[in-house]
Amino acid sequence: MDAAKALLSLQAAEWPTYVDLIPTTFGTGSEVTRFATVYDIEGRKQSVLLPASTMVRVHYRPELLCTLPDLEVRAGFCDAFAHCFESLWARNATPESVELATAGMRIGMKILHNWGSRTDEHFRALQNMGRLGGQAISLTKTTAAHALSYEWTQKWSIPHGFAAAAALPSLHSFCRDRAPGQRSLWIQARAMGARNPAEVHDHLLHVIQFLIPADVRWRLSQAIRSGRVQAPCPDRLANFPMVLSPSLINQLDGQTAMDLDVNACSAFVIKQEGGAGDGMRITPPAEPMNPACP
Ligand SMILES: [Fe+2]
């Protein structure tokens, strides 16, 4: 889809063009954005914009996702999850983007509770979550988690969704420690069905430990510990609610590496249900969210 959009971006703006997109994966939200992500000859990420005269038509066929390898499903979910989560705390957030991202997060939590299902309904939900996350970030853009993650994907070939989601717990804890009253932290908590931001942090740890395979987590933590070679994308960092200096980024990277190693959390219980093929299920906390949260 991005290749098609990148080619169309080269067309003269006055030529009306139609492009029909049929996603066979999910998570990037590429089908609902006007941007195409491409890499230049030196491996740097670039965004190119579709001309206003190009009309995009999207045809969702969830049954086409049924042959996706498990790793792709996990990475796609993590990417869509990061889009929704980050969009909620983005400086550019609007009431519309919050609504879209909240809807995407809610679908995501339901998917997690039934992880392992391979029905068309399940894939439709994954595509819906991906679409909502894509629509949300097309309004807000992504933030620090994506900015920090690009190097891990480019240099170490960590799948994009895993790399972006891995940075969420440390960034969330950073925000919670420095500005605990931030409204977006509570919006995220509501969207995830958590009682408070502290519980969100536990959920995030479980999401990355549950969805990112152990060998990928090990590779990623090693990659992070080897240090950065380039500064993270400044415009995405600037869209994060807190200012991140290079030394803070170092500290956050260290915490992310530790988060990838940790194997304990109290808020979510992950248990195996049924026999082979039934997959893992996440049991949400029994108590309802505190309605009095600000
Ligand atoms: Fe992404």
Side-chain angles (χ1 to χ4, degrees):
M1 290 192 292
D2 284 57
K5 290 198 292 182
L7 285 172
L8 286 165
S9 74
L10 302 174
Q11 290 224 116
E14 66 271 18
W15 291 0
T17 319
Y18 290 91
V19 57
D20 288 275
L21 299 176
I22 307 173
T24 55
T25 60
F26 72 96
T28 66
S30 176
E31 75 276 15
V32 288
T33 68
R34 307 275 314 165
F35 292 94
T37 298
V38 292
Y39 290 84
D40 67 18
I41 203 160
E42 270 143 22
R44 289 177 302 230
K45 179 177 173 287
Q46 307 282 351
S47 282
V48 292
L49 183 62
L50 275 177
S53 56
T54 303
M55 307 295 288
V56 179
R57 296 180 293 210
V58 187
H59 309 272
Y60 288 104
R61 300 276 301 275
E63 67 275 19
L64 295 178
L65 270 60
C66 73
T67 53
L68 271 184
D70 183 59
L71 195 75
E72 293 291 331
V73 177
R74 288 169 182 269
F77 181 94
C78 284
D79 193 18
F81 184 90
H83 293 164
C84 294
F85 194 87
E86 287 191 78
S87 184
L88 288 173
W89 66 18
R91 281 183 189 269
N92 296 332
T94 65
E96 190 187 351
S97 71
V98 167
E99 200 172 308
L100 290 163
T102 299
M105 290 290 303
R106 290 202 166 128
I107 292 173
M109 298 315 288
K110 279 190 197 151
I111 293 169
L112 275 177
H113 296 154
N114 291 292
W115 193 262
S117 166
R118 304 286 293 183
T119 61
D120 284 357
E121 210 46 52
H122 176 72
F123 291 121
R124 184 172 292 112
L126 288 168
Q127 281 192 322
N128 272 338
M129 180 195 183
R131 172 181 57 79
L132 289 161
Q135 288 173 316
I137 57 162
S138 75
L139 293 171
T140 64
K141 295 196 174 165
T142 53
T143 70
H146 269 66
L148 299 179
S149 77
Y150 289 133
E151 181 171 321
W152 304 332
T153 296
Q154 285 164 25
K155 194 171 149 208
W156 300 94
S157 302
I158 302 294
H160 166 68
F162 293 150
L168 292 177
S170 61
L171 287 165
H172 179 267
S173 145
F174 176 78
C175 278
R176 193 164 50 90
D177 291 347
R178 303 286 172 113
Q182 255 180 92
R183 191 165 167 267
S184 60
L185 295 175
W186 288 93
I187 294 174
Q188 287 164 335
R190 282 201 173 101
M192 289 182 78
R195 288 169 295 192
N196 52 51
E199 204 170 87
V200 169
H201 183 254
D202 283 347
H203 290 8
L204 290 173
L205 282 179
H206 256 299
V207 166
I208 65 168
Q209 288 163 21
F210 176 64
L211 290 177
I212 307 178
D215 63 313
V216 178
R217 273 191 278 132
W218 184 83
R219 272 200 302 129
L220 182 49
S221 72
Q222 297 303 304
I224 293 171
R225 288 186 168 100
S226 73
R228 289 188 175 274
V229 293
Q230 61 191 44
C233 181
D235 68 316
R236 301 304 158 97
L237 279 188
N239 196 22
F240 184 63
M242 317 289 288
V243 176
L244 296 179
S245 65
S247 70
L248 282 173
I249 288 171
N250 266 343
Q251 287 175 33
L252 286 164
D253 282 350
Q255 183 59 52
T256 299
M258 284 195 279
D259 290 343
L260 289 162
D261 297 337
V262 172
N263 269 310
C265 178
S266 56
F268 265 25
V269 176
I270 299 179
K271 61 183 182 184
Q272 189 82 45
E273 289 190 358
D278 189 44
M280 302 284 282
R281 289 175 192 271
I282 293 184
T283 303
E287 293 175 53
M289 182 183 72
N290 178 5
C293 63

